[in-house]
């Protein structure tokens, strides 16, 4: 079974703090992709990053960085020097193969609030 | 931004009435999905389509049906709405079935069943 767990329901930080959002996944597949999406207060989901199961290199994009560790089945997301505009719900998702195509299974989401 | 339009954006309906939500895309993507978002559950797949008239069930399909008569339109129908179907519904599209293909989401429809 495919499963994604985001144990942190809500996180609240003060602006400029660093914050890490945890994501743990379960799959028996050897080939899969992991994604992070952001859902700002306006409601739409915005794609942030994807990582394939064979690439464990960390990725950095500006203030965002992602740490993928297959040994612990985790794909954590860190925001450095957080800003108020980072306030959103963040979803981790796992892409897996089904007969008629690929499917995404999402974690429960983490509500991040960055206070000024 | 991906051209995805959901309608209506908000709806209040009574228990037992039928409801249809529409997703319209201008991207000519083959794959379309309906998700529902509920607190504590993230997004869960209701139904998806892998082509015109080709649909399949997701993990929470009971009480829902879908239709896709044209590439650009994917309809979600609640045959007889129940209060447990109060939720935010998202349509998504993707270009291919490859594992690495990201999905693009509409802005959501907030449905309240009273």
């Amino acid at each position: 079974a495919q499963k994604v767990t985001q144990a942190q329901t809500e996180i609240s930080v003060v602006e400029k703090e660093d914050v890490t959002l945890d994501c743990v996944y379960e799959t028996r597949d050897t080939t899969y992709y992991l994604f992070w999406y952001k859902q700002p207060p306006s409601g739409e989901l915005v794609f942030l990053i994807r990582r394939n199961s064979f690439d464990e290199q960390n990725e950095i994009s500006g203030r965002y960085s992602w740490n993928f560790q297959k040994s612990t089945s985790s794909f954590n997301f860190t925001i450095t020097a957080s800003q108020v505009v980072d306030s959103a719900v963040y979803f981790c998702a796992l892409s897996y193969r089904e007969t008629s195509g690929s499917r995404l299974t999402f974690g429960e989401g983490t509500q991040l609030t960055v206070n000024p | 931004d991906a051209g995805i339009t959901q309608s209506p954006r908000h709806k209040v309906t009574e228990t037992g009435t039928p409801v249809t939500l529409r997703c319209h895309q201008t991207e000519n993507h083959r794959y379309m999905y309906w998700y529902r978002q509920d607190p504590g559950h993230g997004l869960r797949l209701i139904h998806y389509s892998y082509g015109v008239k080709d649909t399949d069930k997701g993990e929470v399909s009971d009480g829902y049906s879908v239709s896709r008569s044209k590439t650009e339109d994917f309809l979600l129908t609640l045959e007889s709405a129940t209060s447990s179907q109060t939720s935010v519904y998202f349509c998504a599209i993707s270009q291919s079935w490859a594992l690495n293909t990201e999905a693009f989401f509409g802005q959501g429809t907030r449905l309240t069943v009273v």
Side-chain angles (χ1 to χ4, degrees):
Chain A
Q2 327 289 339
K3 186 178 179 182
V4 176
T5 302
Q6 295 178 254
Q8 304 151 308
T9 305
E10 296 181 21
I11 300 175
S12 182
V13 299
V14 177
E15 208 169 17
K16 297 184 184 176
E17 283 186 32
D18 298 347
V19 57
T20 296
L21 310 181
D22 297 333
C23 171
V24 174
Y25 63 93
E26 296 175 29
T27 180
R28 289 189 207 142
D29 293 351
T30 55
T31 302
Y32 52 88
Y33 278 76
L34 295 161
F35 296 77
W36 276 95
Y37 283 84
K38 174 182 179 179
Q39 185 180 39
S42 54
E44 77 279 14
L45 278 89
V46 178
F47 163 75
L48 293 178
I49 191 172
R50 95 191 103 225
R51 173 64 75 211
N52 76 56
S53 52
F54 300 106
D55 182 2
E56 290 193 66
Q57 279 193 329
N58 291 339
E59 174 129 359
I60 299 174
S61 176
R63 296 184 297 106
Y64 295 171
S65 62
W66 290 269
N67 178 248
F68 175 36
Q69 292 193 335
K70 285 182 76 171
S71 60
T72 56
S73 296
S74 65
F75 185 43
N76 297 337
F77 174 27
T78 297
I79 302 174
T80 302
S82 60
Q83 300 176 1
V84 172
V85 293
D86 295 326
S87 296
V89 181
Y90 291 87
F91 290 99
C92 181
L94 168 70
S95 174
Y96 62 96
R97 183 84 71 205
E98 282 283 338
T99 306
S100 51
S102 63
R103 306 249 292 259
L104 276 175
T105 188
F106 286 82
E108 305 89 340
T110 298
Q111 170 73 61
L112 173 65
T113 302
V114 181
N115 299 297
Chain B
D1 290 344
I4 308 170
T5 305
Q6 290 185 231
S7 59
R9 293 292 313 282
H10 302 270
K11 186 169 181 68
V12 179
T13 192
E14 293 187 351
T15 298
T17 59
V19 177
T20 295
L21 309 183
R22 181 181 183 237
C23 178
H24 178 78
Q25 60 141 331
T26 58
E27 305 295 324
N28 202 35
H29 285 357
R30 178 178 175 183
Y31 295 85
M32 299 185 75
Y33 311 82
W34 277 107
Y35 289 88
R36 59 178 290 174
Q37 181 180 6
D38 304 289
H41 292 279
L43 281 87
R44 292 179 293 175
L45 183 65
I46 306 171
H47 281 281
Y48 65 101
S49 170
Y50 47 98
V52 173
K53 298 187 180 177
D54 290 323
T55 64
D56 206 349
K57 296 179 180 180
E59 59 182 306
V60 290
S61 59
D62 287 348
Y64 301 95
S65 63
V66 289
S67 66
R68 191 164 178 207
S69 57
K70 298 185 290 185
T71 298
E72 57 266 35
D73 290 324
F74 192 31
L75 304 181
L76 176 71
T77 298
L78 290 66
E79 302 291 347
S80 177
T82 67
S83 58
S84 64
Q85 293 175 312
T86 292
S87 187
V88 180
Y89 291 85
F90 284 94
C91 173
I93 64 174
S94 66
Q95 193 166 18
S96 83
W97 69 300
L99 286 173
N100 65 341
T101 304
E102 72 266 30
F104 298 97
F105 288 81
Q107 293 191 300
T109 294
R110 184 172 295 276
L111 176 68
T112 303
V113 183
V114 298

